[in-house]
Amino acid sequence: MPRPRPPWVLVPRWTGSVAVAATPHGRDPAARRGPLPYHGPPMTTTPLDVLRTSLRDLTCADPRLEHEGRILTLSGWVDRRRDLGQLIFLDLRDRYGITQVVVDATESPEAHAVASAVRSEYVLRVEGRVAARGEGTRNPKLATGDVELRAATITVLSSARTTPFVINDPDAEIDEAVRLTYRYLDLRRGPLQRRILARGRLVQAIREVHHAAGFVEVETPLLIKSTPEGARDFVVPSRLQPGSVYALPQSPQQLKQLLMVAGMDRYFQIARCFRDEDLRGDRQPEFTQLDLEMSFVAEPDVMGWVESMALAVTRGVAPERPIAQVPFPVLTYREAIDRFGSDKPDLRYGMELVDLGDAVAGAGFRVFDSVLEAGGRVMGITVAGQGGISRGQIDELTEMAKRFGAGGLIWLAPGADGSIRGSVVKALGEERATAIARAAGAGEGDLVLIVADRDIHAQEVLGRLRVEMAGRLGLADPNVLAYVWVHQFPMYQWDADARRWDATHNPFSGVMPDDLGLLETSSGDLAAADPGDPAGRARALQYDLALNGWELGGGSIRFHTRELLARSFALQGYSDESMVERFGGILEAFEYGAPPHGGIALGVDRWAALLTDQTNIREVMAFPKTSSGSDLMLAAPSPAEPGQLEELGLTRAPRPAEG
RNA sequence: GGACCCGUGGUGUAGCGGCCCAACAUGCCAGCCUGUCACGCUGGAGAUCGCCGGUUCGAAUCCGGUCGGGUCCGCCA
């Protein structure tokens, strides 16, 4: 039965608009001319009338005083029922909001009979008249709280068992295994629902900004050839070619570079990626990346685009959250390690590392001397106001430092009148110890933590302690978003077991022009690598974007000539044959005219988590897996059917323990 | 592969050798109630304490194993 279209429509749903400010790029303004502020149309909003259906006129968030006296139909879930006998209140809920329904036995006995039998989470359709609430009965906590729907007819669209956990309490703490088993019910609850909606807006904003800037959205296949990006591949056996397998992509890396060879110029994709590694709070076996690649670009072009895009998206999705610094700070890898002990530093607080090499030199303390002689570093951080730390807490931190690979942890706590506590005060003497603490920037009442170790290791351990202490002291403002670029990574790191150079990030990354001559071995034979090779000093055209101490993603300007790419692969230990076997496609493609190109991949799950204040990406994924890779709702993975294996030409080898 | 934490009515917790065939809150069921909005009041049902084994006169409680969940290291961009 068609109804007249109601006239009170067109309330915008989401009004997050994307206005992209031009941001300068790089420290050298000329080098940062960069690209392309977004001046496209405003972001889409959802007009209200599209939400009207034959089962409802409005959503449960809509009724207002202006509707008073109208006969309207709402549909939704029973959030709560308050039964006062002859009078029953039902809070009707959908994802937009809540409207109070009143059922009066004297007004509509049939509706009252239905309402008496209704329970939480029943799905109802209610027709009634919108009435203004009387003085003193309005509810300012509800957007619809000035009115209520006086039920004339209630239809039960669906009944509901008692749910395994409460839907209507956003603060209820529920075992995560139960939440995952009934994910569809968890998704019905406010907090998770809001996060999934926020993620949807994030992806929408990403798409709109890229389309408006001329990027082409291209889908790449999921059944591809295994590519060595470091992680284990998920493998899919082929029925048509028994014994052969596809791999699921760890990322669309080669495909997007081939799209550049194809002249696509600007590509992006919201790409599902797969890595068969152990799970963590920020790692799931399947995850989503914003993958993009651009042609005819140098490093500032890509960083510039990504920065303006990230700003636009952030302002569209989380407009209320302050961004720490714009343009984003740019650190070299070396700087990031030396100042923060991390290549993904959290810049929401200071507590920077200090080199104490000069201060401890000649102190006659064997640990320091031997480390310095061996070319290592003595580094420290000063934790303000923590001089009163207990012995037990120091032991705990020492344990942690050891777990992170340090030999030990030295501490100093200068007190009043030149006194000083600490683990090495006796060995150093009070005077020397005080001088070291002062060199670290510590004053009375502060705590200095010192690690002496091989270069990088000292910084890395302190970097972790810095994060740990900041966490304990609550130094990071949870509201602030601190984006930071880190670039000029080393091209390679030495793999002592395989005796070859390993790409630190991406095997396709190009090299900084100044370091082109370093793509060499000492022997001159690329196949005979040695840890002292010049290649170990080469820096890559590689850039990472970090946000609040999480790596959001990274990218690079790629080699686009066959010669240089092959040279880099050779340094990474590939023979000519294995190179052709694994990368033959892209090497050949580069013989047919490849434009200079580069790009980046950003973790959408991590981004969504950070923008919604979560520390775990499961909280922004609709259907995540447990830390052992199970889907508790669908009970996946499950044992293979014998017929399936047979068809694929596979047999299952029993584990030794199973006999 | 390793370390640590957790597992008690539907949910969240308490109990940590006998006082416990287990307590509290909430939820659930029933009755009463015409202005509630975390409605209220009265009554009731509901757990052999993840599972297996051991120690003990006696185990939710101690020990071993196992399964499941989480965090971290290794692994992973």
Side-chain angles (χ1 to χ4, degrees):
Chain A
M1 224 195 307
R3 273 166 195 285
R5 165 171 288 222
W8 53 80
V9 287
L10 283 169
V11 175
R13 287 290 138 181
W14 175 52
T15 52
S17 68
V18 171
V20 181
T23 55
H25 310 291
R27 292 178 166 167
D28 169 11
R32 277 204 133 184
R33 69 198 178 283
L36 319 165
Y38 173 76
H39 292 306
M43 305 291 277
T44 311
T45 57
T46 307
L48 178 52
D49 60 345
V50 307
L51 297 171
R52 182 178 169 270
T53 69
S54 41
L55 292 183
R56 71 179 178 205
D57 295 315
L58 293 173
T59 76
C60 295
D62 295 324
R64 292 289 187 281
L65 280 174
E66 65 189 283
H67 306 126
E68 188 184 349
R70 290 185 183 279
I71 306 294
L72 286 179
T73 301
L74 298 182
S75 289
W77 284 262
V78 176
D79 191 64
R80 224 174 223 113
R81 191 177 75 112
R82 292 176 293 281
D83 186 345
L84 278 61
Q86 294 301 94
L87 193 64
I88 298 172
F89 296 95
L90 299 173
D91 288 342
L92 202 62
R93 182 198 71 230
D94 58 21
R95 87 167 155 91
Y96 309 96
I98 287 179
T99 294
Q100 174 168 282
V101 174
V102 197
V103 194
D104 189 322
T106 58
E107 257 175 54
S108 44
E110 291 97 359
H112 184 268
V114 175
S116 298
V118 146
R119 293 295 180 268
S120 285
E121 300 308 315
Y122 275 41
V123 184
L124 305 183
R125 178 179 182 226
V126 181
E127 187 186 59
R129 185 174 51 82
V130 176
R133 295 211 204 175
E135 201 62 47
T137 68
R138 300 195 181 112
N139 185 350
K141 285 185 238 164
L142 289 182
T144 60
D146 286 340
V147 296
E148 59 198 3
L149 190 67
R150 302 201 70 92
T153 312
I154 300 178
T155 312
V156 175
L157 301 174
S158 204
S159 62
R161 291 165 59 187
T162 301
T163 50
F165 47 84
V166 280
I167 307 298
N168 58 24
D169 181 359
D171 301 320
E173 284 179 26
I174 303 147
D175 185 77
E176 188 156 6
V178 178
R179 291 178 57 201
L180 289 170
T181 305
Y182 299 93
R183 192 61 165 179
Y184 46 88
L185 293 179
D186 199 19
L187 284 163
R188 201 187 279 174
R189 299 169 69 226
L192 185 54
Q193 190 162 88
R194 276 191 292 278
R195 289 195 290 273
I196 297 299
L197 295 174
R199 182 192 176 124
R201 291 198 301 274
L202 172 66
V203 171
Q204 181 190 3
I206 287 169
R207 283 214 161 89
E208 290 181 4
V209 173
H210 280 86
H211 282 295
F215 283 79
V216 184
E217 186 168 2
V218 182
E219 292 172 85
T220 53
L222 293 183
L223 297 175
I224 63 167
K225 183 185 172 71
S226 176
T227 61
E229 292 199 44
R232 234 174 253 117
D233 283 318
F234 275 101
V235 144
V236 180
S238 163
R239 177 182 58 82
L240 296 174
Q241 298 178 37
S244 292
V245 295
Y246 300 97
L248 300 179
Q250 296 181 28
S251 78
Q253 181 65 35
Q254 290 193 64
L255 296 161
K256 69 174 174 179
Q257 290 192 244
L258 292 168
L259 286 171
M260 294 301 104
V261 178
M264 276 302 146
D265 192 64
R266 293 182 167 206
Y267 140 92
F268 87 102
Q269 182 180 193
I270 307 292
R272 193 58 67 88
C273 304
F274 303 86
R275 288 179 189 152
D276 190 4
E277 295 293 344
D278 288 5
L279 287 79
R280 283 286 194 286
D282 60 352
R283 279 168 18 201
Q284 285 265 313
E286 55 179 311
F287 59 100
T288 305
Q289 287 192 339
L290 160 58
D291 191 50
L292 68 91
E293 196 78 3
M294 305 163 79
S295 288
F296 305 111
V297 288
E299 188 180 85
D301 299 302
V302 180
M303 288 170 69
W305 162 252
V306 172
E307 183 162 330
S308 69
M309 179 275 297
L311 280 169
V313 166
T314 305
R315 284 174 182 158
V317 177
E320 73 291 349
R321 294 183 65 175
I323 296 172
Q325 206 178 325
V326 178
F328 301 162
V330 181
L331 302 175
T332 65
Y333 169 78
R334 195 68 234 182
E335 237 181 314
I337 293 291
D338 283 347
R339 290 175 58 192
F340 303 101
S342 167
D343 61 1
K344 43 178 196 284
D346 192 336
L347 295 195
R348 288 176 298 173
Y349 49 89
M351 217 199 298
E352 293 193 22
L353 277 54
V354 181
D355 190 327
L356 299 174
D358 291 341
V360 304
F365 188 59
R366 230 186 51 229
V367 173
F368 292 156
D369 292 344
S370 63
V371 163
L372 289 175
E373 268 165 39
R377 305 279 290 271
V378 178
M379 308 282 293
I381 54 172
T382 293
V383 191
Q386 290 303 299
I389 191 164
S390 73
R391 210 40 239 220
Q393 285 173 300
I394 285 287
D395 290 345
E396 201 183 318
L397 290 174
T398 306
E399 272 311 299
M400 191 175 297
K402 285 181 177 166
R403 192 150 37 83
F404 295 150
L409 181 67
I410 291 155
W411 64 282
L412 294 171
D417 317 320
S419 71
I420 186 163
R421 291 196 308 143
S423 47
V424 290
V425 172
K426 258 188 201 156
L428 289 168
E430 286 208 1
E431 203 173 314
R432 189 74 187 213
T434 303
I436 293 169
R438 197 175 303 124
E444 190 182 321
D446 295 340
L447 171 69
V448 184
L449 300 175
I450 300 170
V451 173
D453 210 321
R454 281 179 293 154
D455 191 17
I456 302 287
H457 287 264
Q459 290 98 311
E460 283 177 344
V461 171
L462 277 173
R464 294 192 182 209
L465 290 173
R466 173 179 176 267
V467 170
E468 173 67 24
M469 294 310 289
R472 290 188 186 187
L473 301 174
L475 297 186
D477 182 339
N479 204 30
V480 168
L481 295 168
Y483 290 95
V484 55
W485 285 108
V486 177
H487 70 162
Q488 298 183 9
F489 284 81
M491 281 288 285
Y492 310 111
Q493 62 198 11
W494 181 248
D495 181 337
D497 294 333
R499 291 205 54 82
R500 61 180 169 82
W501 292 103
D502 223 4
T504 58
H505 282 67
N506 181 313
F508 300 91
S509 290
V511 69
M512 291 183 67
D514 287 350
D515 294 354
L516 190 53
L518 296 176
L519 297 189
E520 269 300 348
T521 58
S522 313
S523 64
D525 177 1
L526 294 180
D530 179 272
D533 289 340
R537 303 198 304 275
R539 293 163 300 166
L541 285 170
Q542 163 80 34
Y543 33 82
D544 275 11
L545 184 61
L547 172 54
N548 292 2
W550 277 26
E551 181 191 327
L552 251 199
S556 62
I557 302 298
R558 330 291 182 188
F559 286 124
H560 71 282
T561 64
R562 178 178 174 130
E563 294 70 40
L564 285 174
L565 184 57
R567 185 171 195 84
S568 186
F569 282 153
L571 280 167
Q572 292 171 50
Y574 291 102
S575 66
D576 285 355
E577 300 77 55
S578 63
M579 206 185 294
V580 167
E581 212 279 307
R582 314 195 75 154
F583 306 107
I586 196 164
L587 287 168
E588 188 179 2
F590 281 6
E591 294 173 18
Y592 291 100
H597 62 282
I600 199 167
L602 301 181
V604 169
D605 311 281
R606 290 181 183 179
W607 205 0
L610 286 159
L611 291 178
T612 55
D613 252 328
Q614 298 303 303
T615 55
N616 196 307
I617 63 172
R618 288 192 300 272
E619 297 297 342
V620 293
M621 301 178 84
F623 299 108
K625 293 177 177 56
T626 68
S627 69
S628 58
S630 301
D631 179 331
L632 294 179
M633 185 179 65
L634 301 177
S638 52
E641 302 285 335
Q644 288 179 313
L645 292 178
E646 201 177 319
E647 206 165 41
L648 294 165
L650 300 176
T651 52
R652 182 172 167 274
R655 293 178 178 226
E658 298 174 54

mmCIF file of all heavy atoms in Angstrom, chain A residues 400-429:
data_model
loop_
_atom_site.group_PDB
_atom_site.id
_atom_site.type_symbol
_atom_site.label_atom_id
_atom_site.label_comp_id
_atom_site.label_asym_id
_atom_site.label_seq_id
_atom_site.Cartn_x
_atom_site.Cartn_y
_atom_site.Cartn_z
ATOM 1 N N MET A 400 62.707 -6.135 31.394
ATOM 2 C CA MET A 400 62.152 -5.764 30.101
ATOM 3 C C MET A 400 63.291 -5.432 29.126
ATOM 4 O O MET A 400 63.283 -5.888 27.985
ATOM 5 C CB MET A 400 61.240 -4.544 30.301
ATOM 6 C CG MET A 400 60.405 -4.211 29.105
ATOM 7 S SD MET A 400 59.281 -2.853 29.497
ATOM 8 C CE MET A 400 58.296 -3.583 30.781
ATOM 9 N N ALA A 401 64.266 -4.654 29.592
ATOM 10 C CA ALA A 401 65.390 -4.288 28.725
ATOM 11 C C ALA A 401 66.124 -5.537 28.248
ATOM 12 O O ALA A 401 66.515 -5.640 27.084
ATOM 13 C CB ALA A 401 66.346 -3.359 29.472
ATOM 14 N N LYS A 402 66.257 -6.504 29.135
ATOM 15 C CA LYS A 402 66.946 -7.736 28.746
ATOM 16 C C LYS A 402 66.117 -8.511 27.719
ATOM 17 O O LYS A 402 66.646 -9.092 26.789
ATOM 18 C CB LYS A 402 67.208 -8.604 29.975
ATOM 19 C CG LYS A 402 68.349 -8.082 30.827
ATOM 20 C CD LYS A 402 68.597 -8.977 32.034
ATOM 21 C CE LYS A 402 69.794 -8.464 32.838
ATOM 22 N NZ LYS A 402 69.886 -9.086 34.169
ATOM 23 N N ARG A 403 64.828 -8.500 27.939
ATOM 24 C CA ARG A 403 63.954 -9.199 26.995
ATOM 25 C C ARG A 403 64.058 -8.550 25.610
ATOM 26 O O ARG A 403 63.936 -9.202 24.586
ATOM 27 C CB ARG A 403 62.509 -9.137 27.516
ATOM 28 C CG ARG A 403 61.548 -10.037 26.828
ATOM 29 C CD ARG A 403 60.409 -10.501 27.766
ATOM 30 N NE ARG A 403 59.944 -9.490 28.695
ATOM 31 C CZ ARG A 403 59.052 -8.554 28.398
ATOM 32 N NH1 ARG A 403 58.534 -8.504 27.190
ATOM 33 N NH2 ARG A 403 58.658 -7.685 29.301
ATOM 34 N N PHE A 404 64.299 -7.244 25.594
ATOM 35 C CA PHE A 404 64.433 -6.543 24.316
ATOM 36 C C PHE A 404 65.847 -6.693 23.754
ATOM 37 O O PHE A 404 66.161 -6.116 22.725
ATOM 38 C CB PHE A 404 64.115 -5.050 24.477
ATOM 39 C CG PHE A 404 62.685 -4.777 24.844
ATOM 40 C CD1 PHE A 404 62.347 -3.661 25.598
ATOM 41 C CD2 PHE A 404 61.671 -5.620 24.425
ATOM 42 C CE1 PHE A 404 61.029 -3.405 25.934
ATOM 43 C CE2 PHE A 404 60.352 -5.363 24.762
ATOM 44 C CZ PHE A 404 60.028 -4.257 25.519
ATOM 45 N N GLY A 405 66.707 -7.396 24.475
ATOM 46 C CA GLY A 405 68.012 -7.701 23.908
ATOM 47 C C GLY A 405 69.181 -6.955 24.529
ATOM 48 O O GLY A 405 70.307 -7.117 24.078
ATOM 49 N N ALA A 406 68.942 -6.139 25.540
ATOM 50 C CA ALA A 406 70.045 -5.412 26.164
ATOM 51 C C ALA A 406 70.765 -6.309 27.161
ATOM 52 O O ALA A 406 70.187 -7.250 27.702
ATOM 53 C CB ALA A 406 69.524 -4.167 26.874
ATOM 54 N N GLY A 407 72.058 -5.993 27.405
ATOM 55 C CA GLY A 407 72.795 -6.740 28.408
ATOM 56 C C GLY A 407 72.311 -6.391 29.797
ATOM 57 O O GLY A 407 72.316 -7.221 30.705
ATOM 58 N N GLY A 408 71.897 -5.172 29.973
ATOM 59 C CA GLY A 408 71.416 -4.741 31.280
ATOM 60 C C GLY A 408 70.894 -3.330 31.192
ATOM 61 O O GLY A 408 70.821 -2.746 30.110
ATOM 62 N N LEU A 409 70.495 -2.805 32.352
ATOM 63 C CA LEU A 409 69.961 -1.454 32.398
ATOM 64 C C LEU A 409 70.611 -0.726 33.572
ATOM 65 O O LEU A 409 70.638 -1.237 34.688
ATOM 66 C CB LEU A 409 68.443 -1.497 32.585
ATOM 67 C CG LEU A 409 67.727 -0.149 32.637
ATOM 68 C CD1 LEU A 409 67.805 0.548 31.286
ATOM 69 C CD2 LEU A 409 66.270 -0.336 33.036
ATOM 70 N N ILE A 410 71.160 0.446 33.269
ATOM 71 C CA ILE A 410 71.792 1.244 34.316
ATOM 72 C C ILE A 410 70.894 2.432 34.609
ATOM 73 O O ILE A 410 70.297 3.002 33.693
ATOM 74 C CB ILE A 410 73.184 1.718 33.830
ATOM 75 C CG1 ILE A 410 74.108 0.504 33.730
ATOM 76 C CG2 ILE A 410 73.759 2.772 34.765
ATOM 77 C CD1 ILE A 410 75.234 0.690 32.750
ATOM 78 N N TRP A 411 70.791 2.779 35.906
ATOM 79 C CA TRP A 411 69.902 3.899 36.224
ATOM 80 C C TRP A 411 70.559 4.850 37.205
ATOM 81 O O TRP A 411 71.428 4.468 37.987
ATOM 82 C CB TRP A 411 68.567 3.397 36.789
ATOM 83 C CG TRP A 411 68.698 2.673 38.095
ATOM 84 C CD1 TRP A 411 69.127 1.391 38.272
ATOM 85 C CD2 TRP A 411 68.407 3.177 39.405
ATOM 86 N NE1 TRP A 411 69.123 1.058 39.598
ATOM 87 C CE2 TRP A 411 68.679 2.138 40.330
ATOM 88 C CE3 TRP A 411 67.924 4.398 39.886
ATOM 89 C CZ2 TRP A 411 68.494 2.294 41.699
ATOM 90 C CZ3 TRP A 411 67.743 4.540 41.266
ATOM 91 C CH2 TRP A 411 68.031 3.500 42.145
ATOM 92 N N LEU A 412 70.143 6.092 37.125
ATOM 93 C CA LEU A 412 70.643 7.127 38.031
ATOM 94 C C LEU A 412 69.474 8.003 38.447
ATOM 95 O O LEU A 412 68.602 8.300 37.640
ATOM 96 C CB LEU A 412 71.691 8.008 37.332
ATOM 97 C CG LEU A 412 73.013 7.338 36.927
ATOM 98 C CD1 LEU A 412 73.833 8.282 36.067
ATOM 99 C CD2 LEU A 412 73.785 6.905 38.162
ATOM 100 N N ALA A 413 69.466 8.385 39.732
ATOM 101 C CA ALA A 413 68.388 9.256 40.214
ATOM 102 C C ALA A 413 68.988 10.324 41.111
ATOM 103 O O ALA A 413 69.206 10.104 42.300
ATOM 104 C CB ALA A 413 67.347 8.433 40.971
ATOM 105 N N PRO A 414 69.298 11.502 40.519
ATOM 106 C CA PRO A 414 69.888 12.572 41.333
ATOM 107 C C PRO A 414 68.884 13.084 42.360
ATOM 108 O O PRO A 414 67.710 13.291 42.047
ATOM 109 C CB PRO A 414 70.239 13.653 40.310
ATOM 110 C CG PRO A 414 69.552 13.283 39.040
ATOM 111 C CD PRO A 414 69.125 11.858 39.123
ATOM 112 N N GLY A 415 69.366 13.255 43.593
ATOM 113 C CA GLY A 415 68.487 13.740 44.657
ATOM 114 C C GLY A 415 68.915 15.121 45.123
ATOM 115 O O GLY A 415 69.657 15.818 44.429
ATOM 116 N N ALA A 416 68.428 15.485 46.310
ATOM 117 C CA ALA A 416 68.724 16.813 46.829
ATOM 118 C C ALA A 416 70.193 16.896 47.285
ATOM 119 O O ALA A 416 70.812 15.878 47.579
ATOM 120 C CB ALA A 416 67.801 17.116 48.009
ATOM 121 N N ASP A 417 70.735 18.095 47.318
ATOM 122 C CA ASP A 417 72.079 18.395 47.844
ATOM 123 C C ASP A 417 73.168 17.576 47.158
ATOM 124 O O ASP A 417 74.106 17.109 47.794
ATOM 125 C CB ASP A 417 72.177 18.113 49.370
ATOM 126 C CG ASP A 417 70.948 18.617 50.093
ATOM 127 O OD1 ASP A 417 70.486 19.706 49.727
ATOM 128 O OD2 ASP A 417 70.452 17.895 50.975
ATOM 129 N N GLY A 418 73.032 17.354 45.876
ATOM 130 C CA GLY A 418 74.086 16.658 45.151
ATOM 131 C C GLY A 418 74.168 15.169 45.416
ATOM 132 O O GLY A 418 75.065 14.493 44.930
ATOM 133 N N SER A 419 73.232 14.624 46.206
ATOM 134 C CA SER A 419 73.237 13.179 46.414
ATOM 135 C C SER A 419 72.702 12.504 45.152
ATOM 136 O O SER A 419 72.065 13.129 44.320
ATOM 137 C CB SER A 419 72.339 12.816 47.600
ATOM 138 O OG SER A 419 70.982 13.002 47.244
ATOM 139 N N ILE A 420 73.003 11.235 45.012
ATOM 140 C CA ILE A 420 72.514 10.512 43.839
ATOM 141 C C ILE A 420 72.386 9.032 44.153
ATOM 142 O O ILE A 420 73.239 8.453 44.826
ATOM 143 C CB ILE A 420 73.446 10.755 42.623
ATOM 144 C CG1 ILE A 420 72.855 10.124 41.358
ATOM 145 C CG2 ILE A 420 74.852 10.224 42.900
ATOM 146 C CD1 ILE A 420 73.471 10.665 40.090
ATOM 147 N N ARG A 421 71.256 8.450 43.710
ATOM 148 C CA ARG A 421 71.063 7.002 43.825
ATOM 149 C C ARG A 421 71.292 6.390 42.460
ATOM 150 O O ARG A 421 71.209 7.078 41.457
ATOM 151 C CB ARG A 421 69.611 6.682 44.225
ATOM 152 C CG ARG A 421 69.218 7.085 45.636
ATOM 153 C CD ARG A 421 67.916 6.372 46.024
ATOM 154 N NE ARG A 421 66.843 6.552 45.039
ATOM 155 C CZ ARG A 421 65.960 5.609 44.715
ATOM 156 N NH1 ARG A 421 66.018 4.423 45.264
ATOM 157 N NH2 ARG A 421 65.006 5.863 43.827
ATOM 158 N N GLY A 422 71.547 5.104 42.417
ATOM 159 C CA GLY A 422 71.667 4.467 41.122
ATOM 160 C C GLY A 422 72.494 3.206 41.183
ATOM 161 O O GLY A 422 73.148 2.918 42.187
ATOM 162 N N SER A 423 72.437 2.464 40.075
ATOM 163 C CA SER A 423 73.044 1.144 40.077
ATOM 164 C C SER A 423 74.563 1.199 39.985
ATOM 165 O O SER A 423 75.229 0.245 40.328
ATOM 166 C CB SER A 423 72.482 0.320 38.907
ATOM 167 O OG SER A 423 72.497 1.087 37.722
ATOM 168 N N VAL A 424 75.125 2.309 39.511
ATOM 169 C CA VAL A 424 76.569 2.321 39.300
ATOM 170 C C VAL A 424 77.243 3.471 40.038
ATOM 171 O O VAL A 424 78.363 3.844 39.740
ATOM 172 C CB VAL A 424 76.906 2.426 37.790
ATOM 173 C CG1 VAL A 424 76.535 1.128 37.089
ATOM 174 C CG2 VAL A 424 76.198 3.602 37.164
ATOM 175 N N VAL A 425 76.516 4.031 41.008
ATOM 176 C CA VAL A 425 77.062 5.197 41.708
ATOM 177 C C VAL A 425 78.352 4.830 42.436
ATOM 178 O O VAL A 425 79.333 5.576 42.424
ATOM 179 C CB VAL A 425 76.029 5.773 42.697
ATOM 180 C CG1 VAL A 425 76.660 6.863 43.554
ATOM 181 C CG2 VAL A 425 74.837 6.327 41.939
ATOM 182 N N LYS A 426 78.377 3.641 43.029
ATOM 183 C CA LYS A 426 79.577 3.223 43.749
ATOM 184 C C LYS A 426 80.766 3.097 42.808
ATOM 185 O O LYS A 426 81.877 3.542 43.109
ATOM 186 C CB LYS A 426 79.319 1.878 44.448
ATOM 187 C CG LYS A 426 79.064 2.037 45.930
ATOM 188 C CD LYS A 426 78.999 0.691 46.618
ATOM 189 C CE LYS A 426 78.251 0.836 47.938
ATOM 190 N NZ LYS A 426 77.653 -0.417 48.377
ATOM 191 N N ALA A 427 80.523 2.470 41.672
ATOM 192 C CA ALA A 427 81.610 2.231 40.728
ATOM 193 C C ALA A 427 82.120 3.531 40.120
ATOM 194 O O ALA A 427 83.311 3.676 39.857
ATOM 195 C CB ALA A 427 81.147 1.281 39.635
ATOM 196 N N LEU A 428 81.212 4.473 39.884
ATOM 197 C CA LEU A 428 81.601 5.701 39.192
ATOM 198 C C LEU A 428 82.033 6.807 40.143
ATOM 199 O O LEU A 428 82.783 7.690 39.763
ATOM 200 C CB LEU A 428 80.422 6.222 38.362
ATOM 201 C CG LEU A 428 80.032 5.423 37.111
ATOM 202 C CD1 LEU A 428 78.695 5.900 36.584
ATOM 203 C CD2 LEU A 428 81.096 5.544 36.044
ATOM 204 N N GLY A 429 81.524 6.761 41.342
ATOM 205 C CA GLY A 429 81.697 7.884 42.258
ATOM 206 C C GLY A 429 80.559 8.872 42.057
ATOM 207 O O GLY A 429 80.045 9.022 40.945
#
